[in-house]
Every structure is written in structure tokens, then in C-alpha cells.
Amino acid sequence: MLAISPTDRVFVLTGAGVSAESGIPTFRGVGGLWRNYRIEEVASPHAWRRDPRLVWEFYSMRRRVAGAAKPNSAHLALAKLEQKLQDRLFLCTQNVDDLHEQSGSMRVVHMHGELFKSRCDRCSRPPFHDTNTYDPPAELPRCECGGRIRPHICWFGEVPFESERIFRALDECTIFMAVGTSGVVEPAASFVAHVSDRARTIYVGPEEPANLSAFTECHLGKAGEVLPEFLALQTWKI
Ligand code: NAD
Ligand code: ZN
């Protein structure tokens, strides 16, 4: 069980594995295919230029899958941790679903964007809430400026969001925990190395991540089973 002192600052990085028990498939472990889509053919600026219909077909499918999903006990344990630690917890997710928010987390940083937001691919209009699905042969949405409306997602080859805030929080943390992330997608895979000379570093997931050697502790198991006990409220030393 995790003991947290009043001066500790906790950085939690979550990946696709934290939503796996909610029925949202992870990318790896399915042979590089995500429900019959080859990910680089639907999640890159090149794919958007070449075939925006296919991109929207893929994200429409993902909106339907995520829209039907409910948070699991891992999301709930992290929401409870935030209630206790408030701004001493920094919750950074690579996930684009909204299951952390649904479970009650108030300060989620989505470094890879949000599935239920869209933005214009031309003008600086801010990203907006959007739950629509656009399946062919539906007309693809356009902005008033003439640009195309695209998913508010950080695709392969694009720069992740909120890097400045994230690295400030990494510099301040004393406990770093990664949950359900394979340790291969950069820059998130290097966060642990960034803090490992001074923070306690913990991995939680059913398999060892590719960057295991940078962690001081590894708790093998499903996030929904490990986290509620590991973060059990009554045992905290605060
Ligand atoms: P990944 O698909 O590369 O790896 C998933 C990891 O989850 C693996 O290490 C696996 O061992 C672990 N895992 C599987 N079941 C688990 C469980 N029950 N509990 C804990 N861990 C479990 O995912 P990634 O490392 O997050 O990176 C891939 C990219 O995929 C990210 O950029 C992310 O944006 C995107 N993605 C997001 C979602 C989502 O929003 N829910 C879903 C799929 C992929
Ligand atoms: Zn526009």
C-alpha cells in the first residue's frame, strides 16, 4: 500500500490499460490493429490529408465505443486519490476517453487530446465539445472559415498537448506512478527516466512495460484490481 506524506507530490500517468476493464481496447496486443484499422493509416496528419473520411469513420467508431463505456474501479481509486490530495496529485493521461472525468477526477491533463472534442484544421478557433459521429457517406463537417473539422487528438507525428505543465509537474513530484501503459509511446515513455533519480517510481499493469528498468517498483496485475487496494484510503499516512 502506498504511504503518502504531507509533503509528497504524486504524478500519475495513465495509459490505455486503465480503460481496458471498461471495455475500451488497448492498441497493442491486437497485432497492431485496432478493430480492423491499422493505426498509422487513421491517426496521422498524412492519413487526414489522404482520406479524411476514413479518419472520421475510425474516430466515429471510437466515439461510439467510448460513449458506451463506464469508469472502472481504477478510475474511481484515482478520483478518490485526488479528493484526498487535491492539487498534490497531477493526473496525466494518454487516454482520449473521458472515463477519468466520469469517475469524478476534476484536474485531468489529456496529453493526447480528447475524443469528445473537435477543432478546425485551419483556423485558431478553440477546440469544442463534439459527440457527433460522421460515417460515410455523411458529409464531413466544415468550419465557417472553410477548413475541415477534425478530431482534437494528438496524432502520430504531432506534438502532445500541455508539455510545459507536464514537465513542471514532473520536476515537482516525489512519487511517480504509471498505470497501464506499454512504455513505448514517446514522450510519455521517458517521463519515468526524467524523475527516477529523485522520485519513487511505480508501475502498475498486468505485464512488464518496455521501460521497466527505470522503475523502482512494479505491481503486476489489472489496474482495477491493484489500484483500489494500493491506494486504499484508510491506510494513508497523511
Ligand atoms: P498501449 O495500447 O500501447 O498499451 C496498453 C498497456 O495496457 C499494455 O502495457 C498492457 O499491458 C496494459 N494493460 C492491459 N490491460 C490492462 C489492465 N486491465 N490494467 C492495467 N494495464 C493493462 O497503450 P499506451 O501505452 O497507453 O499507448 C498507446 C496510445 O494509445 C496512447 O497514445 C493512447 O492515446 C492511445 N489509446 C487510448 C485509448 C483510450 O483513450 N482509452 C485506447 C487505446 C489507445
Ligand atoms: Zn476554421
Side-chain angles (χ1 to χ4, degrees):
M1 270 166 229
L2 185 63
I4 301 172
S5 84
T7 53
D8 276 324
R9 297 190 81 87
V10 183
F11 188 114
V12 175
L13 170 70
T14 63
V18 85
S19 296
E21 289 159 83
S22 294
I24 302 182
T26 62
F27 280 171
R28 268 148 263 276
V30 282
L33 289 179
W34 208 93
R35 300 223 166 162
N36 304 323
Y37 295 88
R38 196 163 290 282
I39 196 68
E40 58 278 10
E41 282 169 18
V42 285
S44 69
H46 175 70
W48 180 243
R49 282 191 298 274
R50 197 189 49 206
D51 195 347
R53 280 181 185 280
L54 184 68
V55 174
W56 263 124
E57 185 186 279
F58 174 66
Y59 283 99
S60 297
M61 179 273 293
R62 290 190 64 188
R63 281 183 177 179
R64 277 191 291 270
V65 171
K70 292 278 165 279
N72 63 56
S73 45
H75 298 105
L76 289 165
L78 289 166
K80 282 187 186 163
L81 184 66
E82 185 192 75
Q83 277 171 16
K84 193 79 180 173
L85 297 182
Q86 299 290 321
D87 64 358
R88 291 196 293 125
L89 173 69
F90 191 91
L91 178 55
C92 175
T93 187
Q94 295 168 91
N95 294 345
V96 298
D97 64 55
D98 63 356
L99 297 181
H100 283 305
E101 285 89 346
Q102 274 195 49
S103 72
S105 288
M106 308 288 284
R107 305 176 173 86
V108 188
V109 174
H110 284 271
M111 63 180 291
H112 289 163
E114 293 175 69
L115 192 53
F116 296 109
K117 283 188 181 171
S118 298
R119 69 173 195 262
C120 177
D121 72 356
R122 188 182 295 175
C123 73
S124 56
R125 166 186 178 179
F128 56 91
H129 185 70
D130 185 10
T131 57
N132 290 317
T133 52
Y134 304 101
D135 292 303
E139 208 45 47
L140 294 185
R142 291 252 179 206
C143 176
E144 283 171 9
C145 79
R148 284 186 194 279
I149 298 297
R150 59 164 276 182
H152 181 51
I153 300 282
C154 173
W155 286 328
F156 291 100
E158 294 188 315
V159 181
F161 303 107
E162 309 252 34
S163 287
E164 229 172 273
R165 266 178 82 197
I166 290 170
F167 277 94
R168 215 178 311 128
L170 284 169
D171 286 338
E172 288 171 353
C173 80
T174 56
I175 299 174
F176 174 91
M177 185 161 71
V179 186
T181 175
S182 51
V184 293
V185 178
E186 292 293 355
S190 297
F191 289 175
V192 61
H194 189 82
V195 302
S196 59
D197 58 340
R198 47 176 185 79
R200 181 176 170 193
T201 54
I202 304 156
Y203 182 78
V204 175
E207 311 164 296
E208 294 179 347
N211 55 356
L212 177 73
S213 61
F215 288 92
T216 43
E217 278 169 54
C218 177
H219 299 263
L220 287 182
K222 292 181 174 180
E225 291 168 9
V226 174
L227 282 191
E229 203 176 316
F230 189 56
L231 301 176
L233 292 175
Q234 61 274 22
T235 62
W236 289 356
K237 285 196 230 141
I238 296 201

